[in-house]
């Protein structure tokens, strides 16, 4: 197995590992706090994990150029959805943090 393919596979495995860790942290936060931002983050992370798994398929299976193009197009769709939900969930979480911070220091949302 050549070095480039090993690096490529290691990158994919690392990406999937990070997504599994993030998913577990987000699921625990959702269970604990119940805020909708964690649902959005979970969807984003799940899509990113699927994208990484799709990226690993050509490592195990030789595909024609047309099949590879279709596979990578599907992966790109998952990546796009993952980015949208990830950014939306992060914005939602930051907004909620801002609201909680203002409440904790005694500033109303109208005054901020």
């Amino acid at each position: 197995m050549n070095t480039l393919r090993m690096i490529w596979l290691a990158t994919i495995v690392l990406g999937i590992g990070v997504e599994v860790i993030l998913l577990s942290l987000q699921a625990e936060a959702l269970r604990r706090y119940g805020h909708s931002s964690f649902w959005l983050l979970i969807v984003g992370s799940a899509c990113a994990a699927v994208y990484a798994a799709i990226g690993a398929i050509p490592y195990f299976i030789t595909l024609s150029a047309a099949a590879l193009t279709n596979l990578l197009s599907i992966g790109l769709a998952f990546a796009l959805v993952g980015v949208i939900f990830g950014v939306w969930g992060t914005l939602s979480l930051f907004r909620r943090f801002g609201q909680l911070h203002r409440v904790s220091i005694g500033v109303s949302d109208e005054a901020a």
Side-chain angles (χ1 to χ4, degrees):
M1 187 174 300
N2 69 34
T3 304
L4 183 59
R5 288 179 71 87
M6 289 299 294
I7 293 169
W8 179 45
L9 181 61
T11 302
I12 290 169
V13 169
L14 179 63
I16 292 172
V18 167
E19 289 305 326
V20 168
I21 292 167
L22 288 173
L23 273 168
S24 65
L25 292 171
Q26 293 158 353
E28 176 60 22
L30 176 65
R31 185 193 67 74
R32 192 178 243 180
Y33 306 113
H35 192 261
S36 63
S37 63
F38 296 113
W39 276 116
L40 298 169
L41 291 168
I42 287 170
V43 170
S45 290
C47 287
V50 170
Y51 167 68
I54 286 173
I57 291 172
Y59 178 80
F60 299 105
I61 301 170
T62 302
L63 300 168
S64 68
L68 184 58
T69 300
N70 289 335
L71 181 68
L72 295 179
S73 296
I74 293 167
L76 181 61
F78 274 99
L80 179 62
V81 171
V83 166
I84 290 169
F85 275 86
V87 170
W88 184 10
T90 301
L91 287 172
S92 176
L93 185 61
F94 288 173
R95 284 187 185 126
R96 183 64 180 143
F97 176 81
Q99 291 169 344
L100 292 172
H101 177 70
R102 286 188 294 278
V103 166
S104 73
I105 62 173
V107 177
S108 69
D109 280 339
E110 294 82 30

